[in-house]
C-alpha cells in the first residue's frame, strides 16, 4: 500500500475556487478525463450541498499492466459536501472498476482561509495483482497521481482566473448601482433636510410675525386705554375746577 499527500494555497477566495471546481472538467490540462455525470444531488436541512458524481477517465496504463487490466478506461465515484457556513468543500472518491486488482481512495478539502483557499489532498492505493508487478504498479501510480495533481492545480488556477474575469463586469455593475443608490439616497437626505429647514424657518417667521402682531395689538390697546384714562382724568379735573369757580 502506498500513501500520497499534497497541499496548496490558491490566491483566490473560496467562492471563486469552488466555482472553478464545478467547472473543472473538461479542461486543457487533463485531457485524460472524459467527463463527469451527476448521479445524485441534494441540499440537507443544514444547507449543505451533497453531490455524487461518476468520473470517467483514461488510466494511461503502462504496457506491463495492460495484460491484467484489459480495459484502460477508469470509473470512479466521487462524493462531495459543500458547507457554505464553514466555507469548506470536501470530497472523497474511489475507483469502481478493476477493484479485484487495485483500489485507490482520494480525499480532498478546499477550505476558506481569509481571502485565500487552502487545498489538502491525500490518497492511498493498493495493488493486488501479483508480487511481481504490485510494487512497480504502485510506484507508477504515485507518479501518475503526482502529475495529475500538478495538472489539476494548473487547471483550477486557470479556471479561477476565468471565473473572476467573468464576474468582474457584474461586480463593477453592482458597485455602480450601489454608488448610484448611495448618491440618490444622499440627495434625498439633503433635500429632506433642506425641506425641513425651510419648514422650520417658515414656521419661525410665522411665529415671529404673530408675536409681533400680537405685541403691536397689545401696545395699541394699552395706548388707547392710557389715552382714555388721561382724557377721563382731564375731564374730571375740568369739572372740578368749574365747580370751584362757580
Amino acid at each position: 500500500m502506498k500513501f500520497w499527500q499534497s497541499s496548496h494555497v490558491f490566491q483566490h477566495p473560496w467562492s471563486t475556487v469552488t466555482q472553478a471546481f464545478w467547472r473543472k472538467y473538461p479542461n486543457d490540462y487533463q485531457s485524460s478525463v472524459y467527463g463527469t455525470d451527476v448521479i445524485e444531488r441534494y441540499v440537507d436541512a443544514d444547507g449543505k450541498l451533497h453531490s455524487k458524481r461518476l468520473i470517467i477517465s483514461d488510466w494511461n496504463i503502462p504496457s506491463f499492466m495492460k495484460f491484467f487490466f484489459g480495459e484502460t478506461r477508469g470509473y470512479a465515484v466521487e462524493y462531495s459536501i459543500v458547507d457554505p457556513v464553514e466555507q469548506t468543500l470536501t470530497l472523497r472518491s474511489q475507483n469502481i472498476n478493476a477493484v479485484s486488482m487495485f483500489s485507490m481512495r482520494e480525499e480532498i478539502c478546499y477550505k476558506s482561509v481569509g481571502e485565500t483557499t487552502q487545498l489538502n489532498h491525500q490518497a492511498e492505493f493498493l495493488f493486488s495483482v501479483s508480487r511481481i508487478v504490485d510494487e512497480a504498479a504502485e510506484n507508477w501510480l504515485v507518479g501518475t497521481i503526482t502529475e495529475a495533481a500538478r495538472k489539476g492545480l494548473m487547471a483550477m488556477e486557470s479556471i479561477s482566473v476565468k471565473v473572476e474575469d467573468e464576474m468582474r463586469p457584474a461586480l463593477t455593475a453592482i458597485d455602480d448601482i450601489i454608488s448610484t443608490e448611495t448618491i440618490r439616497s444622499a440627495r434625498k437626505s439633503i433635500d429632506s433636510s433642506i425641506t425641513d429647514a425651510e419648514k422650520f424657518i417658515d414656521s419661525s417667521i410665522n411665529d415671529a410675525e404673530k408675536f409681533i402682531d400680537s405685541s403691536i395689538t397689545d401696545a395699541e390697546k394699552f395706548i388707547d386705554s392710557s389715552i382714555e384714562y388721561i382724557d377721563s382724568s382731564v375731564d374730571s379735573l375740568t369739572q372740578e375746577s368749574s365747580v370751584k369757580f362757580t
Side-chain angles (χ1 to χ4, degrees):
M1 179 178 286
K2 295 284 185 180
F3 296 92
W4 178 93
Q5 63 180 8
S6 177
S7 62
H8 179 75
V9 176
F10 292 99
Q11 298 303 315
H12 305 282
W14 181 80
S15 58
T16 298
V17 174
T18 50
Q19 287 187 63
F21 170 78
W22 296 116
R23 297 169 56 176
K24 186 176 180 180
Y25 303 115
N27 64 69
D28 296 333
Y29 301 94
Q30 295 174 300
S31 58
S32 60
V33 179
Y34 297 126
T36 63
D37 287 318
V38 177
I39 302 172
E40 182 182 17
R41 179 166 287 168
Y42 66 93
V43 177
D44 65 18
D46 296 324
K48 298 177 183 178
L49 174 65
H50 296 251
S51 299
K52 180 179 179 182
R53 299 194 300 175
L54 178 67
I55 312 296
I56 308 168
S57 61
D58 187 342
W59 281 341
N60 294 318
I61 297 173
S63 57
F64 74 91
M65 292 175 57
K66 288 182 179 178
F67 172 78
F68 300 98
F69 282 82
E71 173 65 58
T72 60
R73 178 171 294 191
Y75 300 87
V77 173
E78 172 195 270
Y79 303 88
S80 65
I81 301 175
V82 179
D83 187 337
V85 176
E86 296 296 328
Q87 292 195 322
T88 59
L89 165 58
T90 57
L91 62 100
R92 55 188 175 86
S93 62
Q94 181 173 349
N95 63 296
I96 57 173
N97 66 323
V99 291
S100 61
M101 290 176 284
F102 89 104
S103 66
M104 176 176 173
R105 298 184 180 90
E106 287 185 272
E107 291 187 6
I108 299 175
C109 179
Y110 298 90
K111 181 175 179 59
S112 176
V113 182
E115 293 300 313
T116 65
T117 304
Q118 174 72 42
L119 164 66
N120 293 316
H121 185 179
Q122 60 184 22
E124 63 178 45
F125 25 86
L126 173 66
F127 275 83
S128 56
V129 177
S130 73
R131 294 182 179 179
I132 300 174
V133 299
D134 283 355
E135 183 69 20
E138 290 176 356
N139 290 334
W140 161 78
L141 194 51
V142 168
T144 298
I145 193 172
T146 300
E147 181 63 12
R150 184 185 69 84
K151 292 181 177 180
L153 290 177
M154 294 170 64
M156 287 289 289
E157 180 65 31
S158 174
I159 300 169
S160 293
V161 171
K162 183 178 180 181
V163 169
E164 290 181 341
D165 288 342
E166 292 174 350
M167 292 177 62
R168 191 168 291 113
L171 293 175
T172 301
I174 292 172
D175 288 340
D176 291 343
I177 292 172
I178 292 174
S179 298
T180 301
E181 289 300 321
T182 301
I183 292 172
R184 288 177 180 173
S185 178
R187 286 177 177 172
K188 288 181 179 179
S189 179
I190 293 171
D191 291 341
S192 177
S193 298
I194 291 173
T195 301
D196 291 341
E198 289 175 343
K199 289 180 179 179
F200 175 75
I201 292 171
D202 290 341
S203 176
S204 299
I205 291 173
N206 289 332
D207 290 342
E209 288 177 344
K210 289 179 180 179
F211 175 76
I212 292 170
D213 291 341
S214 177
S215 298
I216 292 172
T217 301
D218 291 341
E220 290 175 343
K221 288 180 179 179
F222 176 76
I223 292 170
D224 291 341
S225 175
S226 298
I227 291 172
E228 289 177 357
Y229 175 76
I230 293 170
D231 289 343
S232 175
S233 298
V234 170
D235 290 341
S236 177
L237 288 173
T238 301
Q239 290 176 2
E240 288 179 1
S241 300
S242 223
V243 170
K244 287 181 180 180
F245 286 111
T246 302

